[in-house]
Amino acid sequence: MGVYTGLRWGELSGLHRHRIDQRRSRLFVVEVNTKRGIKEYPKSSRSRREVPLPAHVLEALERHIYRLDRDAVVFTTVTKGRAGRLLDDGNWRRQTWWPAIENAHYFDDYGEQQLVPHYPPHSMRHTCASWLVQKGVSLYEVQHLLGHESFQTTQRYAHLQPDAHKAVLGAWERMETPLTIAT
């Protein structure tokens, strides 16, 4: 879900069941999980936002939430008989993320099985942004999806835009009188 929504870890682990609109395939970022518990507001004013969910992500999420109470937090602990408690970032990384990464593989362009690089959870957010930019989604839309306060934060993905210079070259070609260099 992190890769397809671009949510920050605190936004994912603070997501409540009633913030998911299954009918419209959206979720609303309102609360965040912090070291001090649930905070009623995200990182910045732009962080409070609506995020679309791809159909396959919504289907997986529906299988996970169907038994949850309306006000329940979606992702909670399930270890040592203490189900339902808020996730702790350090424990979650140590007990869930890193073991999953260490056992994960992918197939490269030659069909060879490779270990997944040792990336932190925040890389899911960067992957989301990178994939969207590479598929032609505007930096403006990516900024709003990720809840970036500053456009400069989003601009780090600009180099990934396909045909980034195509519009500029097209504009030059459409000039009625191109500049010429006198000899």
Side-chain angles (χ1 to χ4, degrees):
M1 190 162 142
V3 170
Y4 287 99
T5 62
L7 296 182
R8 297 172 179 95
W9 187 88
E11 295 168 346
L12 275 169
S13 62
L15 179 64
H16 286 73
R17 166 70 182 89
H18 67 276
R19 300 295 184 197
I20 301 167
D21 182 345
Q22 292 168 264
R23 189 174 52 77
R24 291 181 52 226
S25 194
R26 304 255 187 273
L27 64 81
F28 299 89
V29 177
V30 178
E31 298 90 2
V32 294
N33 182 15
T34 69
K35 291 180 180 185
R36 294 185 189 102
I38 296 294
K39 187 169 74 168
E40 294 294 325
Y41 50 92
K43 185 176 178 182
S44 69
S45 62
R46 295 211 179 186
S47 294
R48 191 176 201 132
R49 63 199 185 278
E50 182 177 325
V51 177
L53 295 169
H56 72 281
V57 173
L58 180 61
E59 289 171 19
L61 190 55
E62 286 174 332
R63 287 191 302 271
H64 178 74
I65 65 173
Y66 80 97
R67 289 188 180 175
L68 294 178
D69 292 336
R70 182 186 187 294
D71 293 326
V73 174
V74 174
F75 302 109
T76 60
T77 62
V78 291
T79 59
K80 300 179 184 173
R82 298 189 306 190
R85 295 179 62 181
L86 289 177
L87 294 173
D88 172 86
D89 184 36
N91 288 341
W92 180 81
R93 285 174 189 244
R94 188 172 44 262
Q95 296 171 4
T96 305
W97 180 261
W98 295 124
I101 294 298
E102 288 168 8
N103 292 307
H105 295 82
Y106 72 97
F107 291 96
D108 64 17
D109 294 339
Y110 304 105
E112 300 290 324
Q113 189 172 349
Q114 303 291 332
L115 286 172
V116 170
H118 205 250
Y119 291 125
H122 196 74
S123 63
M124 293 185 291
R125 186 168 164 80
H126 288 275
T127 299
C128 175
S130 299
W131 285 354
L132 291 174
V133 169
Q134 289 171 351
K135 291 297 181 183
V137 176
S138 75
L139 291 176
Y140 177 79
E141 289 295 324
V142 172
Q143 176 186 4
H144 289 283
L145 177 75
L146 298 181
H148 286 155
E149 188 74 25
S150 165
F151 186 71
Q152 285 78 16
T153 305
T154 312
Q155 279 185 311
R156 70 179 63 162
Y157 303 104
H159 69 283
L160 300 171
Q161 284 185 297
D163 303 324
H165 300 293
K166 193 174 192 176
V168 173
L169 292 173
W172 290 124
E173 289 172 5
R174 290 188 301 275
M175 279 187 87
E176 291 187 26
T177 310
L179 299 174
T180 57
I181 299 173
T183 56

